[in-house]
Structures are given as C-alpha cells and as structure tokens.
Amino acid sequence: MRFKTFTAATIAEAMKLVSQSLGEEAVIVATDKGPQGKGVRVTAAVENIHFELPHIPEHDVPSPQSEDPYDVILSYLERHGTPAHLANKLLRAATAIPTTNPKLALASAFDRFFTFLNITHKDNPKPLMFVGPPGTGKTIAVAKVVARAVMDHEPVRVITTDNLKAGGIEQLSFLTSIMGLDLSAVKSPAGLLKAVFDDPLEKGLIIVDTNAVNPYAKDELNVLHEYIDAIGADPILVLPAGGDTGETTDIASAFQAIGVDKILITRVDVTRRLGSVLTAVEQTKMHFTEISISPLIALGLTAITPVSLSRLVLSDPSQLINKAFNNNTK
Amino acid sequence: MKSNATAIKQDPSSAQEHVPRTDNIIAIASGKGGVGKTFLSISLSQAFSKLNKKTLLFDGDLGLANVDIQLGLMPERDLGSVLGGGINLKQSIIHFDLANFDIIAGRSGVGNFATLPPLRLAQLRNELFALGNSYDFVLVDLGAGVDRTMRLLSAYAGSYIVVTNAEPTALTDAYAFIKITLYEDPDAKIKIIINMADSHKEGERTFLTLSNACREFLKISPQLAGVVRRDKKVPDPIRYQTPVLTRYPNCHAASDIMDIAYRLTNMASKNK
C-alpha cells in the first residue's frame, strides 16, 4: 500500500487531485487543515501503485555492433569509461590467445595485467583491516565478511577503531550483536595491539573496521599506517565503482603509499561503469579481492576472478550482476 | 595466501596457450617516418642472408607499403591477395633472387589495410609468426607512428629494433614508441639502431641521449644494436631500386649493417 498527501484550497479540489494522481480506487485515510491553517491536507492510499519510471539512457556510450571479438572488447571497455591507453593495452594482451570468444580473450588480458587474491583464505593468518575514505562501504564490507565467517562456522573476532564518526561504533555493534558476536572498540594503535594479542584467536579471522581517512591528509594516513603496523594487518582498501577515473586512481595511490595493496570494490550493483576501478588497479598494481554486489549483509561479497571480471565488463549493464555472477554468488 | 587467479586455468574452455613469444621475429619500428627504417629492414634482411640465415621480410607498413618500390619489384602476389582471400600468407611469399631472401610485399598506395579489423590483424600476425618456424629470422617492417594497427601487428615479437637518427623529433618519437610498447608489453625487448650518424662516436652519443631518457623515465636500458653512418652512397641504391649490399657492398653503411647483422645473429637464437 502506498500513501500520498495532497494539499489544496478546498476538499473538492484535494479530492480531484487524489483521483487524478492515484485513480478512482484511492482510499482517504486522513484529512486535516493545510499548512498554517490554510486550505486542507488530504492523505490518500492505494494498493499496488506502480510509478512509470523514466528510462535512464547511458550517455556517450557506443553499442557494440561488430562481430569482431576485439572490436566488441574495445566497445565495452570504452562504454565503461576505460581510458584509451588502458583499453589498447588490454586489447593487445587479449589478442595473445587464439580464441574468438571475447570473454575468454579479455579474461586472459586481465590475467596478464591484474592479480586476484582470496583475502579470507584459511592460510592467511593476518588480521584483515578494512580501510578507505568516507562513505565507501567499509562497515558494510566488514559486516559481510563477518557474516560469511559466521555462516561458515568459522571463529571470528571483530574490532573497530572507528571512534570518530557519529554512530560508527553503534552501526557495527548492532550488526555484530545480531550475529551473536562481541565488538571490541579501541582508540589507539596500542589499544589495537592489546585487543589482538592479549587474547589470541587460535584459528579463525580477526576483522578490523577503521575510521574513514582523508586520502589527501598525511596525518590521517600516518595514523592509519600506525594501526596497520601495530598488528601486522592485511589492509584492504574499500572503494566504490563508478567514480571519476583520476580521483579513484589518486585515492588508491594514496593508500598504496602506506602499504595497502588489496582492493575490495563496492557499489558494483548500482553503477554501470568500471573504467575508474580498472584504471586505479592497473596504475597501482593492487590485487583485486572481492566485490560487493548487494546492500544486503548476507549477500553479495563475491571473490572476483579474471573470468568473472571479464563477464562483468562484457555484460549488458542492465543484467550486469546476474550475468556475471549466476551460480557464483555466496 | 591462495591466489584465485588460477581460476582461468581451471576453466577447461580457456585452457589455451598464449601465442608464444618468438625470438626470431624482429619488428623494425621508428616512431618518426623518414629515418631509414625500410632501407634498414631490406639491408638487414640481405645481411642475414649473407650470413646464411634464412630470412623473411614482411612489409608491415599496411597503409603505405614500400619495400617493393625500394627493390623495384612488381610482385604478382602480395598482402592484398591474402587479405582479399585469394591465397594464404605462405603462398604470398616471393623470393628476392638478387639478395637471396624471401619477401611478403605489401601493396603500396592502397591505404585501407591500415584500417583492418583487429581480429584480422591478430590472425595475420599469428599466421606470420607461425611461418617464422621455417626461417632463421623474420623482419617485420612496421609503419611509422604508434597507431594501434601497427602495435597489434607487432605484439609479441621477439624483439623490437627502433630506428632513429640524431634529430630531436626522431628521438622524441622513438622514445614515444618505446614508452607505449613497454606500457602495453612490459617484457618487450628493445634494441636501438642509430641511422645516418656522422660517426660511430656521434651515433653512440645519440644512443646515450635516448637510453638515458629510457633509464630515467621508463626504468629500462635498451641495447644498442648498432650505429649506421651517414653514407653518400645510400640514396643512390634507393634511387636505382637495388639493395645497398648489392650495389656498394664495401661502403661505410654496408659495413655497419653487416656488423649489426653479426651482432644480432649472436644475440638472437632461433626459437625452434
């Protein structure tokens, strides 16, 4: 059921608006005086109303017309806003295997120039620390990794250094409490060291959420560096897809400067262009790890491989996620 | 930590080998035009042949082919016949008796080869590299410039010989070619020939200018394949459409080119 409120000079005029907007089946659920006592305000409700959403065209993107697999690759890379120099580099590598399948050819090019790591592999004993600028989805990424471990019955400990953002601790604390886990909040690198080593986990994951860092503020980066060094953490940069190519690359470079060499891509479900991410990873030589393809905590962190990245890039944007990750979503 | 990069190799449908890098394929490039690239491609092919190395010269200047013009050939078969679908690449080979090496001629004046679709270019390159198994050396005379057609045609060559002279524009364009090649193919082997040098010493100075820029900005040290001195006798064989090693086998330029061939023969081994 959907509700909508109308304001008009008289009841009759308001009812006319209700009828025009919601149809004859609308039900009046409240009437009141209008703002500042003038006119009337009518709230109406209707079942199953469907708004006609406008089609949002893709701007300045060519549609692949050619049957030449390499033309197809180039068109899609261009569609994603990939700079020409990187598109040509990938194309050249794509011609190196004798296949006319564009997905395989592009996967082979990705395999040549990008590396792909599984961050939560059991042989990785280092605490995972999720870092990044504000608003990239660090806390949600942390919650997703934790949820996956919980569902796999793997021991996991969650620590946050996010003591600056209003509600930073509360958000994660709420999420961990649902999963029956405690959240340790620390205020300094020494506090983090103590939290990790005073009561060591024999096996399983230690996950650290951090407060957002301005990539262009050296003092903030330095503090983050101290946190990473204090526990010998495996830092993972959380960055969204769909940003400006130069900006995304600059941000990745700033974090790379303090030893961050892995990247987790978020917002892949709400963007249609991956060129900025491809460029940032190619420039910084960071390792791809996982991508986030859903806002739901229980869904949508998926390890990425050359083949799935190729599928993602060469998919129709409207079916991007389904096509790329069918049967592959945890 | 486990890499999941192996996923592609586990996918049976993708279990295909990369086109192997073929050591005996040498791409001759320049960046700037007019620095003597085609002249050197022809002369080096003849020099290899004099060293009993079976050599194929491929005119890869798809837009403005001119190996046939420099040699006064009127080939019945050329790349045009291959791309037209009449014959395969092997059938387009002609033997150049005068200098005893094989040639796949382009078709001069037909500019539309420069816009070949990338798939056709990659197939052409792979066919050429496969033909290379029957030769000691395959020289690919690339067009000037740094366009994509040319870069795809030469991708995965065993080495690139970049030809330049001392002119600042030629050096800048040579540097640009090296930079783009290394960006796209970080393992590429780059060698330099300084052409039209006033002396060996001056040529080596020019090489140092270029190699210093490469070392500083690209973090690589290209090899000097050799210096070819400016020689008044060179324009004459071009005008008479005869290779210099035939017309003036003892001139300065000819002897420099033979030196380079000796050096490359020792450096490059046939990959069979």
Side-chain angles (χ1 to χ4, degrees):
Chain A
M1 178 165 281
R2 287 178 184 274
F3 295 90
K4 196 167 180 184
T5 298
F6 301 86
T7 306
T10 64
I11 282 278
E13 284 176 36
M15 295 302 287
K16 198 174 169 187
L17 290 176
V18 170
S19 160
Q20 281 171 354
S21 177
L22 300 180
E24 298 299 330
E25 292 175 11
V27 180
I28 306 301
V29 292
T31 57
D32 200 354
K33 284 182 181 169
Q36 294 161 349
K38 292 178 186 168
V40 291
R41 184 164 60 202
V42 172
T43 303
V46 68
E47 295 281 354
N48 299 328
I49 187 171
H50 290 290
F51 296 114
E52 278 296 320
L53 292 177
H55 169 68
I56 303 171
E58 285 185 81
H59 294 285
D60 304 325
V61 290
S63 264
Q65 302 283 342
S66 166
E67 289 183 3
D68 184 324
Y70 303 125
D71 270 343
V72 170
I73 289 173
L74 270 182
S75 302
Y76 272 101
L77 287 172
E78 192 180 338
R79 183 177 194 154
H80 281 280
T82 315
H85 62 89
L86 176 56
N88 282 326
K89 177 176 183 163
L90 291 168
L91 177 73
R92 180 167 172 156
T95 69
I97 63 165
T99 175
T100 51
N101 178 336
K103 285 183 179 145
L104 280 183
L106 185 59
S108 140
F110 286 150
D111 194 29
R112 173 132 198 259
F113 290 115
F114 295 135
T115 50
F116 300 82
L117 293 175
N118 184 344
I119 44 171
T120 54
H121 189 261
K122 288 188 176 108
D123 293 339
N124 180 16
K126 292 182 174 179
L128 301 179
M129 185 180 281
F130 292 82
V131 303
T136 61
K138 286 182 295 301
T139 301
I140 296 295
V142 164
K144 286 179 176 188
V145 174
V146 171
R148 188 164 65 191
V150 168
M151 285 191 278
D152 289 347
H153 306 289
E154 193 176 356
V156 59
R157 179 185 300 163
V158 194
I159 304 171
T160 179
T161 70
D162 192 1
N163 48 23
L164 294 177
K165 186 176 74 185
I169 294 177
E170 285 71 16
Q171 184 189 13
L172 189 57
S173 168
F174 174 70
L175 294 167
T176 49
S177 68
I178 293 174
M179 294 183 259
L181 296 170
D182 292 331
L183 174 67
S184 315
V186 299
K187 291 182 178 170
S188 67
L192 180 61
L193 184 68
K194 194 166 160 26
V196 169
F197 293 112
D198 274 8
D199 179 18
L201 267 186
E202 294 231 337
K203 57 176 186 172
L205 280 172
I206 295 176
I207 311 280
V208 184
D209 190 18
T210 58
N211 49 278
V213 162
N214 177 349
Y216 307 119
K218 282 187 181 168
D219 52 342
E220 292 188 25
L221 278 176
N222 272 332
V223 171
L224 179 63
H225 199 179
E226 287 173 23
Y227 273 113
I228 295 169
D229 277 357
I231 55 168
D234 206 358
I236 296 138
L237 174 62
V238 180
L239 265 192
D244 174 77
T245 299
E247 195 72 54
T248 306
T249 307
D250 286 352
I251 292 171
S253 303
F255 282 90
Q256 185 195 35
I258 57 163
V260 181
D261 66 351
K262 297 176 190 68
I263 192 164
L264 184 152
I265 311 296
T266 57
R267 293 171 58 84
V268 176
D269 53 331
V270 292
T271 185
R272 298 198 287 204
R273 286 174 187 78
L274 296 171
S276 59
V277 163
L278 294 177
T279 309
V281 173
E282 194 266 338
Q283 289 282 313
T284 58
K285 310 282 182 239
M286 281 195 182
H287 309 291
F288 275 113
T289 58
E290 312 216 8
I291 64 169
S292 173
I293 55 172
S294 161
L296 300 176
I297 302 295
L299 286 177
L301 254 198
T302 302
I304 193 157
T305 65
V307 173
S308 63
L309 184 60
S310 170
R311 283 195 196 125
L312 196 59
V313 168
L314 297 178
S315 294
D316 184 320
S318 61
Q319 302 168 35
L320 205 102
I321 299 305
N322 290 341
K323 269 194 167 178
F325 290 102
N326 53 357
N327 307 322
N328 195 20
T329 309
K330 282 201 174 180
Chain B
M1 185 171 293
K2 182 191 168 191
S3 162
N4 52 26
T6 49
I8 186 174
K9 280 135 199 163
Q10 289 157 0
D11 180 348
S13 58
S14 70
Q16 301 181 55
E17 291 298 315
H18 279 59
V19 174
R21 193 180 290 279
T22 333
D23 282 349
N24 63 331
I25 311 280
I26 302 176
I28 315 275
S30 67
K32 184 177 177 296
V35 295
K37 181 172 44 60
T38 299
F39 160 76
L40 278 172
S41 300
I42 292 169
S43 305
L44 265 179
S45 299
Q46 187 175 13
F48 283 143
S49 145
K50 280 176 174 277
L51 299 177
N52 293 320
K53 300 294 179 190
K54 192 180 173 196
T55 303
L56 171 66
L57 172 59
F58 177 89
D59 192 348
D61 190 345
L62 298 183
L64 296 162
N66 58 11
V67 166
D68 52 334
I69 310 283
Q70 281 208 20
L71 294 178
L73 301 173
M74 301 277 279
E76 285 177 12
R77 311 179 296 275
D78 63 17
L79 207 49
S81 333
V82 177
L83 296 170
I87 55 174
N88 65 33
L89 197 62
K90 189 172 183 181
Q91 289 166 329
S92 74
I93 296 171
I94 50 174
H95 188 68
F96 182 44
D97 292 330
L98 188 62
N100 192 31
F101 61 86
D102 286 352
I103 293 176
I104 295 176
R107 185 173 283 181
S108 56
V110 183
N112 59 357
F113 292 165
T115 55
L116 276 182
L119 176 64
R120 191 69 192 92
L121 269 173
Q123 286 169 339
L124 192 65
R125 177 197 70 205
N126 296 349
E127 283 172 47
L128 177 66
F129 284 18
L131 279 182
N133 285 330
S134 317
Y135 289 89
D136 292 305
F137 288 103
V138 175
L139 270 61
V140 184
D141 178 22
L142 294 174
V146 289
D147 67 85
R148 190 169 74 216
T149 304
M150 193 267 297
R151 301 207 306 276
L152 274 183
L153 189 64
S154 63
Y156 307 105
S159 57
Y160 293 82
I161 290 184
V162 181
V163 181
T164 181
N165 58 27
E167 289 174 30
T169 47
L171 282 173
T172 314
D173 289 358
Y175 174 80
F177 176 87
I178 295 169
K179 182 178 172 180
I180 291 177
T181 302
L182 284 172
Y183 172 71
E184 293 186 355
D185 182 5
D187 307 323
K189 280 187 207 159
I190 309 275
K191 296 170 187 173
I192 312 282
I193 289 181
I194 306 295
N195 193 25
M196 296 186 254
D198 289 336
S199 65
H200 282 129
K201 209 166 182 182
E202 192 257 3
E204 281 158 20
R205 269 200 302 272
T206 304
F207 168 72
L208 267 184
T209 308
L210 182 57
S211 72
N212 283 342
C214 291
R215 246 195 309 276
E216 184 162 353
F217 301 114
L218 306 176
K219 313 294 175 211
I220 63 130
S221 302
Q223 281 180 296
L224 177 62
V227 173
V228 180
R229 285 167 289 172
R230 188 186 301 280
D231 193 324
K232 285 181 184 158
K233 294 200 167 64
V234 166
D236 182 66
I238 294 178
R239 203 171 301 129
Y240 287 94
Q241 299 182 312
T242 315
V244 71
L245 293 182
T246 301
R247 197 163 169 94
Y248 299 113
N250 298 316
C251 74
H252 289 327
S255 111
D256 290 344
I257 289 163
M258 281 309 297
D259 282 350
I260 292 173
Y262 272 116
R263 212 169 293 142
L264 290 173
T265 314
N266 292 334
M267 279 198 246
S269 64
K270 188 177 172 186
N271 184 23
K272 274 192 172 176

